Amino acid sequence: MVNIQTNSIAWETLLDLAAYDGPRHVRLELAVRDAVASGRLPAGAALPPSRLLAASLGVSRWVVTEVYGRLTAEGILDARTGSATRVAASVGITAPRPASAPAAPLRRPRFDLVPGVPDLRHAPRALWLRAMTETLAETPDAELFRLDGEVPAARAAVAAYLSRSRFARADASSVVVTHGATDGMRRIARTLRGLGHAALLVEDPSWARMRQVAAAEGLASVPVPVDEHGVDVPAMVAASTRTGARAALVTPAHQFPVGAALSPERREGLLAWARAVDGVVVEDDYDAEFRYDRRPIGALQAMAPDRVVLVGSLSKTASPAFGVGWLVLPTWLQGTIRDAGAATPSTLDQLALARFLTTGGLDRHLRAARTRYRRRREALLAELGRALPECPVSGIAAGLHVVLDLPPGVRAADVVRGGEQHDLGLSDIRRYRVSPDAPAPERLVLGYGDLADPLVAEAVRLLAQVVRNAGRGL
Amino acid sequence: MVNIQTNSIAWETLLDLAAYDGPRHVRLELAVRDAVASGRLPAGAALPPSRLLAASLGVSRWVVTEVYGRLTAEGILDARTGSATRVAASVGITAPRPASAPAAPLRRPRFDLVPGVPDLRHAPRALWLRAMTETLAETPDAELFRLDGEVPAARAAVAAYLSRSRFARADASSVVVTHGATDGMRRIARTLRGLGHAALLVEDPSWARMRQVAAAEGLASVPVPVDEHGVDVPAMVAASTRTGARAALVTPAHQFPVGAALSPERREGLLAWARAVDGVVVEDDYDAEFRYDRRPIGALQAMAPDRVVLVGSLSKTASPAFGVGWLVLPTWLQGTIRDAGAATPSTLDQLALARFLTTGGLDRHLRAARTRYRRRREALLAELGRALPECPVSGIAAGLHVVLDLPPGVRAADVVRGGEQHDLGLSDIRRYRVSPDAPAPERLVLGYGDLADPLVAEAVRLLAQVVRNAGRGL
């Protein structure tokens, strides 16, 4: 019991009702709660009899008994018969924690050549808002109450979109709506782990986040080299034989980051391998909607819907903020993945996604985005040809990035560091290696998704400057 | 190799360009894809030389070579030099799957007395849309691109809301935004399992979904009885000693379904137990915002923020369609739960949640909802008193449900079945028992969250009728 001299306390100061809004009993309740929470009234402290406190504070006695009763019911005060009302011994005072440091405002580099970022200035905010507005205006009440997270209209809309845009073999039953590609990968990995898989063949280099979530779910990454025809399928078969891995994560339409399209022979070889080992191919279709020299190559999934899981999202095509993506699954995986216990996007988001797809919102956005990215890519290549003619640029005319080979003697790490001085965001291709310390050619992956069009020339001028400085050891 | 008589095929019928839109090369590509996908052109089938097909279809030869080239690059066709272009042997034809059966339209019973459903007719659609509209209009571009799913503004807004409405001890660092209470429970359960917990003490009866997701993550349910003062804490301590369980899931503000508030002595006993066994209390605060006879009782979490995880959501207060909820976590659990690998709501939804809370959208909605539910509850109780005076009604003046004792000889299961005849949705309290087959008093849990106000009298009249019929063995 704390020996607190209640007589000497200025109760009207400790419980300052003027600091609160509302009726008196509410203000007194808040004042007592704050005094207890802050430790000014510690566990065991006695409160004055209600008559005395009422007089000190200039309130009716009812106000005090009401508040004492309420806080006693809650266990904050303790009012044993025949003794003073006290702060309960069980109240665990924690020193007020420091408020979280205010989050640094998010920002992108002014000259943003970092890959993996779409054009943030042109996110289809208005088209998405329209889909959301119509959804909120028109969805019947009962549709807004779903215990099961799956919204059939969203699954059907995704299936229709992928059938026409990616020639996928999809129907509503094969689609799972996810939060995005990473979430999709996590769910596949968890499911494969549950089925006994322990390893995942991955392209090297590749987008690190996808293999990291698989690794976090227990699938070890088995690296397979990549060349200008995409992933080296004979090497993959050999790695599968060596390790027993029967699952592969690939980017057939546009290898990240090398920028190759998987050759027809390799597509065939990959599927033959998957059939031979009773395996699974995870097709990360991350930017296949953007192809500038021809219509996009169809999804590998169409050739073997029983072996290929197609992973996609709106993150690169529209905005990562919408938090929606999808999986297209072989029949035999559909039940298992649904049982793996992961939250789906909200009913509202799934209904908005369905509208965004079926009313042509995404198509409209993609038409504009393709034109914008194609022009930006052309401008970037033209500037690179002028400013760095000695540096080969590679990658098919697709997606949101190219690969730049640096001149002999120039280290990519130095160039990246040099760029930071000018607010020029760059990426060493080593970032995407499974083992970043292995010897590798000196290359940059230049993303132009978020590069502002008026800054293309200036970005390349700065890049050429830091390349030359790095070459001179500066 | 399939022996297909290409000469005898009417190519202009098989590849009917009139069935497609767009330029000729696009239409031909789609026609070939469909013919392959449907099996009309099986693996190995030879296609005519480009000159002949061009003549059959009345298109230029370029159109045909373009399409052949494209589909060959994709591995759908196979064009070895010196031989006919054929459908690739690797094309896996799947018989077209039957389209998913159209989903039955979701509906609620006309007389909806099923608990767990808020007022769907009064979901705050407009207030949420306003939050979403402002978010889309005002969020800077860079904020829409987050690789990390956590949005600091949302965590801070939830902490502020819970501090003032639930007197919780929360700051931004202790809050995790979830998809809802079930998602929150799944994440806690996964985390506790990772920390070595194998069992969860649960109230019996209780909301089944919460303990089911915990069980799916590997935490076995250990039932603890409930009476009119809430969960039986001495029995919980005994069950903990017997089984070694050190985690408990409770509903202190308003026990579901019994409707009790946990007594001050038991609140204290529960926390003393948690401290003694180094345990964790999960406080499911599912409907605490609705209290009609006094201000809501404060969260148990405030008394022991180092021992209690607070679980809440907008599902009962606003709408389950918004797909947002929260956890407030002890410091020592914060890192662990973030590493457990679960998707967060989208950046957009989290930013909208922050606005919905900080601009008073939820408060406005709650003020109206409290009045509406209080009146509906009073009307329901009055009608029950008139129509079924022999049936005691229990539960504190809170939340969205009451408990009705049935007259001697009347079985709850018969009443529920009788209700179905009249589109009257009812719930036997056995549904919420951990072992539904154990002997239990004959009681109904009457939810009035979604009961339409004009139908209260008629719903009770029908209820009284089915109770009397069940009593007569009808």
Side-chain angles (χ1 to χ4, degrees):
Chain A
M1 204 61 51
V2 174
N3 189 9
I4 190 164
Q5 295 293 323
T6 47
N7 292 341
S8 68
I9 294 182
W11 287 99
E12 62 280 18
T13 306
L14 184 59
L15 304 174
D16 178 11
L17 303 200
Y20 304 90
D21 292 330
R24 287 173 176 182
H25 65 102
V26 171
R27 288 190 274 153
L28 177 57
E29 180 183 335
L30 293 172
V32 175
R33 285 183 189 276
D34 279 354
V36 172
S38 66
R40 283 175 289 136
L41 271 180
L47 279 91
S50 54
R51 195 177 36 80
L52 289 184
L53 185 58
S56 301
L57 301 179
V59 300
S60 78
R61 190 167 169 195
W62 174 86
V63 166
V64 179
T65 55
E66 171 73 11
V67 170
Y68 280 13
R70 186 175 292 167
L71 296 175
T72 301
E74 218 170 279
I76 288 176
L77 301 183
D78 190 345
R80 307 269 154 90
T81 318
S83 132
T85 297
R86 292 177 181 275
V87 178
S90 60
V91 168
I93 300 301
T94 312
R97 274 167 289 186
S100 307
L106 294 180
R107 63 176 300 279
R108 303 289 320 162
R110 174 166 155 79
F111 303 100
D112 192 355
L113 282 166
V114 177
V117 190
D119 193 329
L120 302 174
R121 288 172 299 283
H122 291 96
R125 296 177 186 232
L127 290 165
W128 185 257
L129 181 59
R130 180 189 297 183
M132 188 60 80
T133 303
E134 290 174 1
T135 298
L136 278 163
E138 294 170 20
T139 306
D141 290 332
E143 281 279 331
L144 289 186
F145 184 75
R146 285 182 173 276
L147 289 177
D148 175 336
E150 306 233 28
V151 176
R155 297 166 63 196
V158 169
Y161 169 71
L162 294 174
S163 298
R164 83 185 137 78
S165 76
R166 306 291 303 120
F167 308 111
R169 305 276 280 280
D171 60 21
S173 63
S174 57
V175 169
V176 171
V177 177
T178 68
H179 282 89
T182 305
D183 179 46
M185 187 68 231
R186 185 187 292 119
R187 294 172 70 155
I188 298 163
R190 194 169 285 166
T191 302
L192 292 177
R193 192 77 186 90
L195 294 171
H197 288 256
L200 180 67
L201 298 153
V202 300
E203 298 172 334
D204 187 17
S206 53
W207 187 251
R209 185 92 181 107
M210 292 291 272
R211 43 185 157 81
Q212 283 162 356
V213 299
E217 297 295 334
L219 296 184
S221 293
V222 177
V224 179
V226 170
D227 62 25
E228 71 277 18
H229 303 296
V231 67
D232 183 339
V233 170
M236 177 179 283
V237 173
S240 166
T241 306
R242 193 175 71 245
T243 62
R246 295 183 297 111
L249 169 62
V250 294
T251 50
H254 187 216
Q255 205 280 332
F256 187 88
V258 167
L262 192 62
S263 71
E265 293 72 26
R266 291 191 181 177
R267 288 167 76 102
E268 197 170 316
L270 180 59
L271 297 179
W273 163 79
R275 292 195 182 97
V277 300
D278 190 18
V280 180
V281 175
V282 180
E283 178 176 20
D284 179 4
D285 207 40
Y286 68 104
D287 72 358
E289 282 92 345
F290 299 123
R291 180 90 197 219
Y292 312 117
D293 54 343
R294 34 167 292 182
R295 299 182 64 220
I297 202 165
L300 184 69
Q301 186 268 354
M303 297 180 66
D306 56 330
R307 288 289 155 207
V308 179
V309 177
L310 183 66
V311 183
S313 81
L314 289 188
S315 297
K316 298 287 184 295
T317 48
S319 169
F322 301 167
V324 287
W326 46 76
L327 296 173
V328 182
L329 295 161
T331 314
W332 59 273
L333 265 174
Q334 290 169 17
T336 330
I337 212 156
R338 294 207 160 87
D339 293 340
T344 52
S346 73
T347 298
L348 210 53
D349 285 345
Q350 292 191 60
L351 291 168
L353 170 66
R355 268 180 203 266
F356 187 59
L357 296 178
T358 56
T359 62
L362 179 58
D363 292 327
R364 281 177 59 189
H365 171 70
L366 282 176
R367 276 194 295 274
R370 268 190 212 103
T371 304
R372 194 180 303 121
Y373 288 136
R374 179 173 46 227
R375 288 189 185 144
R376 190 178 303 157
R377 179 186 159 88
E378 285 164 4
L380 177 68
L381 294 179
E383 294 292 342
L384 287 171
R386 270 192 286 275
L388 288 164
E390 71 277 29
C391 297
V393 177
S394 54
I396 59 171
L400 305 173
H401 72 274
V402 295
V403 174
L404 183 81
D405 285 27
L406 293 172
V410 176
R411 294 181 52 231
D414 295 337
V415 177
V416 171
R417 235 184 337 264
E420 285 165 10
Q421 314 292 322
H422 302 278
D423 207 5
L424 170 67
L426 298 171
S427 278
D428 183 346
I429 200 169
R430 275 187 194 79
R431 277 181 67 165
Y432 310 109
R433 295 298 302 267
V434 175
S435 305
D437 299 333
E442 300 297 335
R443 290 177 162 172
L444 297 179
V445 184
L446 302 180
Y448 49 87
D450 193 45
L451 181 61
D453 289 309
L455 302 182
V456 172
E458 177 71 358
V460 172
R461 193 190 63 74
L462 286 169
L463 172 62
Q465 180 184 323
V466 295
V467 167
R468 305 218 193 290
N469 285 347
R472 293 200 303 270
L474 296 176
Chain B
M1 205 57 53
V2 174
N3 188 9
I4 192 166
Q5 295 292 321
T6 47
N7 292 340
S8 68
I9 294 182
W11 287 99
E12 64 277 18
T13 307
L14 183 59
L15 303 173
D16 178 12
L17 303 199
Y20 303 90
D21 292 330
R24 286 175 177 181
H25 67 102
V26 171
R27 288 189 274 154
L28 177 59
E29 181 183 334
L30 293 172
V32 175
R33 285 183 188 276
D34 280 354
V36 171
S38 66
R40 283 176 289 136
L41 270 179
L47 279 90
S50 55
R51 193 178 37 80
L52 287 184
L53 185 58
S56 300
L57 302 178
V59 300
S60 77
R61 192 168 167 192
W62 175 87
V63 166
V64 178
T65 55
E66 171 73 11
V67 171
Y68 280 12
R70 185 174 293 167
L71 296 176
T72 300
E74 218 170 278
I76 288 177
L77 300 183
D78 190 347
R80 309 268 154 89
T81 317
S83 131
T85 297
R86 290 177 181 277
V87 178
S90 59
V91 168
I93 299 303
T94 312
R97 273 167 290 183
S100 306
L106 294 180
R107 63 178 298 281
R108 303 289 320 162
R110 176 166 155 77
F111 304 100
D112 192 353
L113 283 167
V114 177
V117 190
D119 193 328
L120 302 175
R121 287 171 300 284
H122 292 94
R125 295 177 186 232
L127 291 165
W128 186 256
L129 181 60
R130 182 189 297 183
M132 186 61 78
T133 303
E134 289 173 2
T135 299
L136 278 163
E138 294 169 21
T139 306
D141 290 332
E143 282 278 331
L144 290 186
F145 184 75
R146 283 182 173 277
L147 289 177
D148 177 335
E150 307 233 26
V151 176
R155 297 167 63 196
V158 169
Y161 169 72
L162 293 175
S163 298
R164 80 184 138 79
S165 75
R166 306 291 303 119
F167 308 110
R169 305 275 281 279
D171 60 19
S173 64
S174 57
V175 169
V176 171
V177 177
T178 68
H179 282 91
T182 304
D183 180 44
M185 187 68 231
R186 184 186 293 120
R187 293 172 71 154
I188 299 162
R190 194 171 287 168
T191 302
L192 291 177
R193 192 78 186 90
L195 294 171
H197 287 257
L200 181 68
L201 298 154
V202 299
E203 299 173 333
D204 186 16
S206 55
W207 186 251
R209 184 93 182 107
M210 292 290 272
R211 42 185 157 82
Q212 283 163 356
V213 298
E217 296 295 334
L219 296 184
S221 292
V222 178
V224 179
V226 171
D227 62 26
E228 71 277 18
H229 304 295
V231 69
D232 183 340
V233 170
M236 177 179 281
V237 174
S240 167
T241 307
R242 194 175 70 245
T243 63
R246 295 184 298 111
L249 169 62
V250 294
T251 50
H254 187 216
Q255 204 279 331
F256 187 89
V258 166
L262 192 63
S263 71
E265 293 74 26
R266 290 192 182 177
R267 288 167 75 102
E268 198 171 315
L270 180 60
L271 296 179
W273 163 79
R275 291 195 183 97
V277 300
D278 189 19
V280 179
V281 175
V282 181
E283 178 175 21
D284 179 5
D285 207 39
Y286 68 104
D287 72 359
E289 282 92 344
F290 299 122
R291 181 89 196 220
Y292 313 117
D293 55 344
R294 35 167 291 182
R295 298 182 64 221
I297 200 165
L300 183 69
Q301 187 269 352
M303 297 181 65
D306 55 330
R307 287 288 155 207
V308 179
V309 177
L310 183 66
V311 183
S313 81
L314 290 187
S315 297
K316 298 286 185 295
T317 48
S319 167
F322 301 167
V324 288
W326 46 77
L327 296 173
V328 182
L329 295 161
T331 314
W332 58 274
L333 265 174
Q334 290 169 17
T336 330
I337 212 155
R338 293 207 161 88
D339 293 340
T344 52
S346 73
T347 298
L348 210 53
D349 285 344
Q350 292 191 62
L351 291 168
L353 170 66
R355 270 180 200 266
F356 187 60
L357 296 178
T358 55
T359 62
L362 179 58
D363 292 327
R364 283 178 58 189
H365 171 70
L366 282 176
R367 276 195 293 276
R370 267 190 212 103
T371 305
R372 194 181 302 121
Y373 289 135
R374 179 172 48 230
R375 287 187 185 147
R376 190 178 303 157
R377 179 186 158 88
E378 285 163 4
L380 176 68
L381 294 180
E383 295 292 343
L384 287 171
R386 270 192 285 276
L388 289 164
E390 70 277 27
C391 298
V393 177
S394 54
I396 60 172
L400 305 173
H401 72 275
V402 295
V403 174
L404 183 81
D405 285 27
L406 292 172
V410 175
R411 294 179 53 231
D414 294 339
V415 176
V416 171
R417 233 185 338 266
E420 286 166 10
Q421 313 291 323
H422 302 280
D423 207 5
L424 170 67
L426 298 170
S427 278
D428 183 344
I429 201 169
R430 273 187 196 80
R431 276 182 68 164
Y432 309 108
R433 296 300 301 267
V434 176
S435 304
D437 298 334
E442 300 296 335
R443 290 176 162 174
L444 296 179
V445 184
L446 301 180
Y448 49 87
D450 192 46
L451 181 61
D453 290 309
L455 301 183
V456 172
E458 176 71 358
V460 173
R461 195 190 61 73
L462 286 169
L463 172 62
Q465 180 184 323
V466 295
V467 167
R468 303 218 194 290
N469 285 346
R472 292 200 303 269
L474 295 177

